[in-house]
PDB file of all heavy atoms in Angstrom:
ATOM      1  N   ALA A   1     111.608 131.290 118.456  1.00  0.00           N
ATOM      2  CA  ALA A   1     111.600 130.062 117.676  1.00  0.00           C
ATOM      3  C   ALA A   1     110.241 129.316 117.840  1.00  0.00           C
ATOM      4  O   ALA A   1     109.762 128.666 116.845  1.00  0.00           O
ATOM      5  CB  ALA A   1     112.743 129.141 118.087  1.00  0.00           C
ATOM      6  N   ALA A   2     109.685 129.346 119.006  1.00  0.00           N
ATOM      7  CA  ALA A   2     108.399 128.661 119.213  1.00  0.00           C
ATOM      8  C   ALA A   2     107.295 129.278 118.344  1.00  0.00           C
ATOM      9  O   ALA A   2     106.478 128.551 117.781  1.00  0.00           O
ATOM     10  CB  ALA A   2     108.003 128.754 120.711  1.00  0.00           C
ATOM     11  N   LYS A   3     107.303 130.589 118.213  1.00  0.00           N
ATOM     12  CA  LYS A   3     106.328 131.261 117.361  1.00  0.00           C
ATOM     13  C   LYS A   3     106.594 130.928 115.898  1.00  0.00           C
ATOM     14  O   LYS A   3     105.656 130.650 115.125  1.00  0.00           O
ATOM     15  CB  LYS A   3     106.404 132.785 117.558  1.00  0.00           C
ATOM     16  CG  LYS A   3     105.556 133.618 116.639  1.00  0.00           C
ATOM     17  CD  LYS A   3     104.093 133.392 116.927  1.00  0.00           C
ATOM     18  CE  LYS A   3     103.186 134.455 116.212  1.00  0.00           C
ATOM     19  NZ  LYS A   3     103.332 134.356 114.729  1.00  0.00           N
ATOM     20  N   LEU A   4     107.846 130.892 115.518  1.00  0.00           N
ATOM     21  CA  LEU A   4     108.195 130.629 114.122  1.00  0.00           C
ATOM     22  C   LEU A   4     107.901 129.182 113.697  1.00  0.00           C
ATOM     23  O   LEU A   4     107.479 128.987 112.551  1.00  0.00           O
ATOM     24  CB  LEU A   4     109.685 130.911 113.860  1.00  0.00           C
ATOM     25  CG  LEU A   4     110.101 132.407 113.970  1.00  0.00           C
ATOM     26  CD1 LEU A   4     111.590 132.534 113.654  1.00  0.00           C
ATOM     27  CD2 LEU A   4     109.253 133.274 113.038  1.00  0.00           C
ATOM     28  N   ILE A   5     108.085 128.226 114.569  1.00  0.00           N
ATOM     29  CA  ILE A   5     107.774 126.855 114.205  1.00  0.00           C
ATOM     30  C   ILE A   5     106.250 126.692 113.981  1.00  0.00           C
ATOM     31  O   ILE A   5     105.802 125.949 113.091  1.00  0.00           O
ATOM     32  CB  ILE A   5     108.274 125.812 115.248  1.00  0.00           C
ATOM     33  CG1 ILE A   5     108.217 124.393 114.636  1.00  0.00           C
ATOM     34  CG2 ILE A   5     107.466 125.841 116.514  1.00  0.00           C
ATOM     35  CD1 ILE A   5     109.210 124.131 113.549  1.00  0.00           C
ATOM     36  N   ALA A   6     105.467 127.441 114.758  1.00  0.00           N
ATOM     37  CA  ALA A   6     104.025 127.408 114.546  1.00  0.00           C
ATOM     38  C   ALA A   6     103.673 128.005 113.171  1.00  0.00           C
ATOM     39  O   ALA A   6     102.806 127.475 112.468  1.00  0.00           O
ATOM     40  CB  ALA A   6     103.302 128.180 115.630  1.00  0.00           C
ATOM     41  N   GLU A   7     104.349 129.052 112.811  1.00  0.00           N
ATOM     42  CA  GLU A   7     104.106 129.659 111.504  1.00  0.00           C
ATOM     43  C   GLU A   7     104.509 128.683 110.402  1.00  0.00           C
ATOM     44  O   GLU A   7     103.765 128.516 109.392  1.00  0.00           O
ATOM     45  CB  GLU A   7     104.945 130.942 111.388  1.00  0.00           C
ATOM     46  CG  GLU A   7     104.837 131.611 110.013  1.00  0.00           C
ATOM     47  CD  GLU A   7     105.765 132.821 109.880  1.00  0.00           C
ATOM     48  OE1 GLU A   7     105.997 133.532 110.902  1.00  0.00           O
ATOM     49  OE2 GLU A   7     106.269 133.067 108.777  1.00  0.00           O
ATOM     50  N   LEU A   8     105.632 128.014 110.524  1.00  0.00           N
ATOM     51  CA  LEU A   8     106.087 127.101 109.487  1.00  0.00           C
ATOM     52  C   LEU A   8     105.145 125.894 109.378  1.00  0.00           C
ATOM     53  O   LEU A   8     104.773 125.479 108.264  1.00  0.00           O
ATOM     54  CB  LEU A   8     107.522 126.645 109.826  1.00  0.00           C
ATOM     55  CG  LEU A   8     108.245 125.818 108.779  1.00  0.00           C
ATOM     56  CD1 LEU A   8     108.271 126.518 107.457  1.00  0.00           C
ATOM     57  CD2 LEU A   8     109.645 125.528 109.234  1.00  0.00           C
ATOM     58  N   VAL A   9     104.769 125.325 110.517  1.00  0.00           N
ATOM     59  CA  VAL A   9     103.875 124.162 110.510  1.00  0.00           C
ATOM     60  C   VAL A   9     102.526 124.520 109.867  1.00  0.00           C
ATOM     61  O   VAL A   9     101.909 123.687 109.202  1.00  0.00           O
ATOM     62  CB  VAL A   9     103.693 123.644 111.946  1.00  0.00           C
ATOM     63  CG1 VAL A   9     102.469 122.728 112.039  1.00  0.00           C
ATOM     64  CG2 VAL A   9     104.949 122.938 112.398  1.00  0.00           C
ATOM     65  N   ASN A  10     102.089 125.733 110.050  1.00  0.00           N
ATOM     66  CA  ASN A  10     100.827 126.144 109.458  1.00  0.00           C
ATOM     67  C   ASN A  10     100.849 126.138 107.943  1.00  0.00           C
ATOM     68  O   ASN A  10      99.813 125.968 107.280  1.00  0.00           O
ATOM     69  CB  ASN A  10     100.458 127.586 109.942  1.00  0.00           C
ATOM     70  CG  ASN A  10      99.095 128.005 109.541  1.00  0.00           C
ATOM     71  OD1 ASN A  10      98.108 127.309 109.814  1.00  0.00           O
ATOM     72  ND2 ASN A  10      98.987 129.122 108.856  1.00  0.00           N
ATOM     73  N   GLU A  11     102.056 126.286 107.336  1.00  0.00           N
ATOM     74  CA  GLU A  11     102.188 126.282 105.895  1.00  0.00           C
ATOM     75  C   GLU A  11     102.302 124.864 105.285  1.00  0.00           C
ATOM     76  O   GLU A  11     102.052 124.671 104.134  1.00  0.00           O
ATOM     77  CB  GLU A  11     103.434 127.092 105.517  1.00  0.00           C
ATOM     78  CG  GLU A  11     103.324 128.598 105.804  1.00  0.00           C
ATOM     79  CD  GLU A  11     102.251 129.262 104.985  1.00  0.00           C
ATOM     80  OE1 GLU A  11     102.135 128.948 103.800  1.00  0.00           O
ATOM     81  OE2 GLU A  11     101.505 130.095 105.553  1.00  0.00           O
ATOM     82  N   ILE A  12     102.743 123.943 106.131  1.00  0.00           N
ATOM     83  CA  ILE A  12     102.978 122.544 105.646  1.00  0.00           C
ATOM     84  C   ILE A  12     101.667 121.805 105.591  1.00  0.00           C
ATOM     85  O   ILE A  12     100.848 121.913 106.510  1.00  0.00           O
ATOM     86  CB  ILE A  12     103.981 121.839 106.548  1.00  0.00           C
ATOM     87  CG1 ILE A  12     105.343 122.542 106.428  1.00  0.00           C
ATOM     88  CG2 ILE A  12     104.092 120.368 106.219  1.00  0.00           C
ATOM     89  CD1 ILE A  12     106.402 122.065 107.420  1.00  0.00           C
ATOM     90  N   PRO A  13     101.412 121.028 104.548  1.00  0.00           N
ATOM     91  CA  PRO A  13     100.132 120.277 104.418  1.00  0.00           C
ATOM     92  C   PRO A  13      99.927 119.344 105.612  1.00  0.00           C
ATOM     93  O   PRO A  13     100.884 118.888 106.264  1.00  0.00           O
ATOM     94  CB  PRO A  13     100.316 119.469 103.137  1.00  0.00           C
ATOM     95  CG  PRO A  13     101.306 120.218 102.347  1.00  0.00           C
ATOM     96  CD  PRO A  13     102.257 120.801 103.373  1.00  0.00           C
ATOM     97  N   GLN A  14      98.670 119.042 105.917  1.00  0.00           N
ATOM     98  CA  GLN A  14      98.302 118.097 106.937  1.00  0.00           C
ATOM     99  C   GLN A  14      97.166 117.207 106.405  1.00  0.00           C
ATOM    100  O   GLN A  14      96.186 117.742 105.849  1.00  0.00           O
ATOM    101  CB  GLN A  14      97.881 118.817 108.232  1.00  0.00           C
ATOM    102  CG  GLN A  14      97.131 117.914 109.242  1.00  0.00           C
ATOM    103  CD  GLN A  14      97.960 116.804 109.794  1.00  0.00           C
ATOM    104  OE1 GLN A  14      99.174 116.925 109.906  1.00  0.00           O
ATOM    105  NE2 GLN A  14      97.309 115.686 110.149  1.00  0.00           N
ATOM    106  N   GLY A  15      97.275 115.907 106.563  1.00  0.00           N
ATOM    107  CA  GLY A  15      96.209 115.009 106.154  1.00  0.00           C
ATOM    108  C   GLY A  15      96.460 114.394 104.771  1.00  0.00           C
ATOM    109  O   GLY A  15      97.595 114.116 104.389  1.00  0.00           O
ATOM    110  N   VAL A  16      95.391 114.215 104.023  1.00  0.00           N
ATOM    111  CA  VAL A  16      95.473 113.565 102.721  1.00  0.00           C
ATOM    112  C   VAL A  16      96.153 114.493 101.704  1.00  0.00           C
ATOM    113  O   VAL A  16      95.656 115.595 101.513  1.00  0.00           O
ATOM    114  CB  VAL A  16      94.095 113.108 102.229  1.00  0.00           C
ATOM    115  CG1 VAL A  16      94.202 112.523 100.815  1.00  0.00           C
ATOM    116  CG2 VAL A  16      93.509 112.062 103.150  1.00  0.00           C
ATOM    117  N   TYR A  17      97.139 113.998 101.033  1.00  0.00           N
ATOM    118  CA  TYR A  17      97.849 114.779 100.005  1.00  0.00           C
ATOM    119  C   TYR A  17      97.417 114.324  98.615  1.00  0.00           C
ATOM    120  O   TYR A  17      97.276 115.141  97.695  1.00  0.00           O
ATOM    121  CB  TYR A  17      99.348 114.624 100.198  1.00  0.00           C
ATOM    122  CG  TYR A  17     100.201 115.351  99.141  1.00  0.00           C
ATOM    123  CD1 TYR A  17     100.436 116.726  99.242  1.00  0.00           C
ATOM    124  CD2 TYR A  17     100.787 114.643  98.090  1.00  0.00           C
ATOM    125  CE1 TYR A  17     101.206 117.384  98.300  1.00  0.00           C
ATOM    126  CE2 TYR A  17     101.600 115.296  97.168  1.00  0.00           C
ATOM    127  CZ  TYR A  17     101.795 116.676  97.245  1.00  0.00           C
ATOM    128  OH  TYR A  17     102.593 117.310  96.343  1.00  0.00           O
ATOM    129  N   GLN A  18      97.197 113.007  98.452  1.00  0.00           N
ATOM    130  CA  GLN A  18      96.772 112.458  97.159  1.00  0.00           C
ATOM    131  C   GLN A  18      95.968 111.195  97.409  1.00  0.00           C
ATOM    132  O   GLN A  18      96.309 110.396  98.261  1.00  0.00           O
ATOM    133  CB  GLN A  18      98.018 112.125  96.314  1.00  0.00           C
ATOM    134  CG  GLN A  18      97.693 111.651  94.936  1.00  0.00           C
ATOM    135  CD  GLN A  18      97.251 112.775  94.042  1.00  0.00           C
ATOM    136  OE1 GLN A  18      97.667 113.910  94.151  1.00  0.00           O
ATOM    137  NE2 GLN A  18      96.318 112.485  93.115  1.00  0.00           N
ATOM    138  N   LYS A  19      94.897 111.007  96.620  1.00  0.00           N
ATOM    139  CA  LYS A  19      94.092 109.775  96.695  1.00  0.00           C
ATOM    140  C   LYS A  19      93.625 109.422  95.280  1.00  0.00           C
ATOM    141  O   LYS A  19      93.615 110.276  94.412  1.00  0.00           O
ATOM    142  CB  LYS A  19      92.932 109.910  97.627  1.00  0.00           C
ATOM    143  CG  LYS A  19      91.886 110.956  97.260  1.00  0.00           C
ATOM    144  CD  LYS A  19      90.854 111.229  98.357  1.00  0.00           C
ATOM    145  CE  LYS A  19      90.122 110.003  98.838  1.00  0.00           C
ATOM    146  NZ  LYS A  19      89.101 110.271  99.845  1.00  0.00           N
ATOM    147  N   ASP A  20      93.236 108.138  95.136  1.00  0.00           N
ATOM    148  CA  ASP A  20      92.714 107.700  93.856  1.00  0.00           C
ATOM    149  C   ASP A  20      91.536 106.783  94.113  1.00  0.00           C
ATOM    150  O   ASP A  20      91.005 106.734  95.236  1.00  0.00           O
ATOM    151  CB  ASP A  20      93.806 107.045  93.000  1.00  0.00           C
ATOM    152  CG  ASP A  20      94.364 105.761  93.611  1.00  0.00           C
ATOM    153  OD1 ASP A  20      93.734 105.217  94.570  1.00  0.00           O
ATOM    154  OD2 ASP A  20      95.419 105.290  93.182  1.00  0.00           O
ATOM    155  N   GLU A  21      91.113 106.030  93.071  1.00  0.00           N
ATOM    156  CA  GLU A  21      89.906 105.197  93.230  1.00  0.00           C
ATOM    157  C   GLU A  21      90.101 104.014  94.184  1.00  0.00           C
ATOM    158  O   GLU A  21      89.129 103.429  94.667  1.00  0.00           O
ATOM    159  CB  GLU A  21      89.493 104.639  91.871  1.00  0.00           C
ATOM    160  CG  GLU A  21      90.412 103.583  91.253  1.00  0.00           C
ATOM    161  CD  GLU A  21      91.514 104.220  90.395  1.00  0.00           C
ATOM    162  OE1 GLU A  21      91.887 105.403  90.634  1.00  0.00           O
ATOM    163  OE2 GLU A  21      91.994 103.499  89.495  1.00  0.00           O
ATOM    164  N   PHE A  22      91.340 103.737  94.567  1.00  0.00           N
ATOM    165  CA  PHE A  22      91.610 102.623  95.490  1.00  0.00           C
ATOM    166  C   PHE A  22      91.787 103.131  96.960  1.00  0.00           C
ATOM    167  O   PHE A  22      91.894 102.350  97.844  1.00  0.00           O
ATOM    168  CB  PHE A  22      92.850 101.868  95.082  1.00  0.00           C
ATOM    169  CG  PHE A  22      92.720 101.203  93.741  1.00  0.00           C
ATOM    170  CD1 PHE A  22      93.498 101.677  92.664  1.00  0.00           C
ATOM    171  CD2 PHE A  22      91.871 100.164  93.508  1.00  0.00           C
ATOM    172  CE1 PHE A  22      93.378 101.103  91.403  1.00  0.00           C
ATOM    173  CE2 PHE A  22      91.737  99.577  92.283  1.00  0.00           C
ATOM    174  CZ  PHE A  22      92.505 100.029  91.228  1.00  0.00           C
ATOM    175  N   GLY A  23      91.756 104.414  97.167  1.00  0.00           N
ATOM    176  CA  GLY A  23      91.892 104.992  98.514  1.00  0.00           C
ATOM    177  C   GLY A  23      92.967 106.031  98.579  1.00  0.00           C
ATOM    178  O   GLY A  23      93.423 106.610  97.573  1.00  0.00           O
ATOM    179  N   VAL A  24      93.420 106.306  99.807  1.00  0.00           N
ATOM    180  CA  VAL A  24      94.458 107.317 100.042  1.00  0.00           C
ATOM    181  C   VAL A  24      95.786 106.793  99.531  1.00  0.00           C
ATOM    182  O   VAL A  24      96.206 105.672  99.829  1.00  0.00           O
ATOM    183  CB  VAL A  24      94.559 107.665 101.578  1.00  0.00           C
ATOM    184  CG1 VAL A  24      95.723 108.605 101.800  1.00  0.00           C
ATOM    185  CG2 VAL A  24      93.284 108.242 102.056  1.00  0.00           C
ATOM    186  N   VAL A  25      96.477 107.622  98.765  1.00  0.00           N
ATOM    187  CA  VAL A  25      97.766 107.237  98.197  1.00  0.00           C
ATOM    188  C   VAL A  25      98.887 107.815  99.052  1.00  0.00           C
ATOM    189  O   VAL A  25      99.828 107.107  99.397  1.00  0.00           O
ATOM    190  CB  VAL A  25      97.913 107.742  96.745  1.00  0.00           C
ATOM    191  CG1 VAL A  25      99.314 107.434  96.213  1.00  0.00           C
ATOM    192  CG2 VAL A  25      96.860 107.086  95.835  1.00  0.00           C
ATOM    193  N   THR A  26      98.801 109.113  99.360  1.00  0.00           N
ATOM    194  CA  THR A  26      99.853 109.781 100.097  1.00  0.00           C
ATOM    195  C   THR A  26      99.227 110.692 101.151  1.00  0.00           C
ATOM    196  O   THR A  26      98.272 111.425 100.866  1.00  0.00           O
ATOM    197  CB  THR A  26     100.724 110.652  99.140  1.00  0.00           C
ATOM    198  OG1 THR A  26     101.225 109.816  98.082  1.00  0.00           O
ATOM    199  CG2 THR A  26     101.877 111.273  99.895  1.00  0.00           C
ATOM    200  N   SER A  27      99.786 110.638 102.389  1.00  0.00           N
ATOM    201  CA  SER A  27      99.298 111.494 103.436  1.00  0.00           C
ATOM    202  C   SER A  27     100.485 111.965 104.294  1.00  0.00           C
ATOM    203  O   SER A  27     101.560 111.406 104.251  1.00  0.00           O
ATOM    204  CB  SER A  27      98.275 110.758 104.315  1.00  0.00           C
ATOM    205  OG  SER A  27      98.943 109.765 105.070  1.00  0.00           O
ATOM    206  N   ILE A  28     100.232 113.014 105.072  1.00  0.00           N
ATOM    207  CA  ILE A  28     101.230 113.532 105.990  1.00  0.00           C
ATOM    208  C   ILE A  28     100.513 113.858 107.289  1.00  0.00           C
ATOM    209  O   ILE A  28      99.416 114.390 107.297  1.00  0.00           O
ATOM    210  CB  ILE A  28     101.951 114.751 105.417  1.00  0.00           C
ATOM    211  CG1 ILE A  28     103.018 115.280 106.390  1.00  0.00           C
ATOM    212  CG2 ILE A  28     100.995 115.835 104.972  1.00  0.00           C
ATOM    213  CD1 ILE A  28     103.935 116.312 105.809  1.00  0.00           C
ATOM    214  N   ASN A  29     101.196 113.521 108.386  1.00  0.00           N
ATOM    215  CA  ASN A  29     100.614 113.774 109.749  1.00  0.00           C
ATOM    216  C   ASN A  29     101.651 114.379 110.660  1.00  0.00           C
ATOM    217  O   ASN A  29     102.757 113.876 110.803  1.00  0.00           O
ATOM    218  CB  ASN A  29     100.054 112.508 110.337  1.00  0.00           C
ATOM    219  CG  ASN A  29      99.391 112.737 111.657  1.00  0.00           C
ATOM    220  OD1 ASN A  29      98.337 113.416 111.727  1.00  0.00           O
ATOM    221  ND2 ASN A  29     100.002 112.253 112.745  1.00  0.00           N
ATOM    222  N   LEU A  30     101.288 115.517 111.256  1.00  0.00           N
ATOM    223  CA  LEU A  30     102.160 116.138 112.280  1.00  0.00           C
ATOM    224  C   LEU A  30     102.105 115.305 113.539  1.00  0.00           C
ATOM    225  O   LEU A  30     101.080 115.168 114.177  1.00  0.00           O
ATOM    226  CB  LEU A  30     101.672 117.571 112.543  1.00  0.00           C
ATOM    227  CG  LEU A  30     102.393 118.329 113.645  1.00  0.00           C
ATOM    228  CD1 LEU A  30     103.860 118.530 113.317  1.00  0.00           C
ATOM    229  CD2 LEU A  30     101.726 119.675 113.887  1.00  0.00           C
ATOM    230  N   GLY A  31     103.256 114.730 113.904  1.00  0.00           N
ATOM    231  CA  GLY A  31     103.325 113.878 115.074  1.00  0.00           C
ATOM    232  C   GLY A  31     103.620 114.659 116.340  1.00  0.00           C
ATOM    233  O   GLY A  31     103.035 114.395 117.376  1.00  0.00           O
ATOM    234  N   VAL A  32     104.532 115.629 116.239  1.00  0.00           N
ATOM    235  CA  VAL A  32     104.912 116.406 117.416  1.00  0.00           C
ATOM    236  C   VAL A  32     105.462 117.759 117.018  1.00  0.00           C
ATOM    237  O   VAL A  32     106.056 117.916 115.936  1.00  0.00           O
ATOM    238  CB  VAL A  32     105.946 115.646 118.279  1.00  0.00           C
ATOM    239  CG1 VAL A  32     107.267 115.460 117.486  1.00  0.00           C
ATOM    240  CG2 VAL A  32     106.219 116.366 119.599  1.00  0.00           C
ATOM    241  N   ILE A  33     105.208 118.743 117.805  1.00  0.00           N
ATOM    242  CA  ILE A  33     105.756 120.088 117.645  1.00  0.00           C
ATOM    243  C   ILE A  33     106.316 120.516 119.012  1.00  0.00           C
ATOM    244  O   ILE A  33     105.645 120.398 120.005  1.00  0.00           O
ATOM    245  CB  ILE A  33     104.723 121.090 117.093  1.00  0.00           C
ATOM    246  CG1 ILE A  33     105.327 122.470 116.971  1.00  0.00           C
ATOM    247  CG2 ILE A  33     103.449 121.138 117.958  1.00  0.00           C
ATOM    248  CD1 ILE A  33     104.421 123.437 116.209  1.00  0.00           C
TER     249      ILE A  33
END
């Protein structure tokens, strides 16, 4: 399971997902694994 969670996390986006002229709109951050 430890190996698989690393595989899964690698597929999930990290950081800025969407931004516009006013700045970052949507982001995602991995807090803990």
Side-chain angles (χ1 to χ4, degrees):
K3 175 67 168 63
L4 292 183
I5 194 68
E7 177 184 327
L8 188 55
V9 163
N10 188 56
E11 294 295 318
I12 294 172
Q14 165 64 30
V16 175
Y17 178 78
Q18 185 72 35
K19 64 190 302 184
D20 62 16
E21 68 271 26
F22 298 111
V24 177
V25 177
T26 306
S27 70
I28 180 169
N29 182 67
L30 175 62
V32 63
I33 179 170

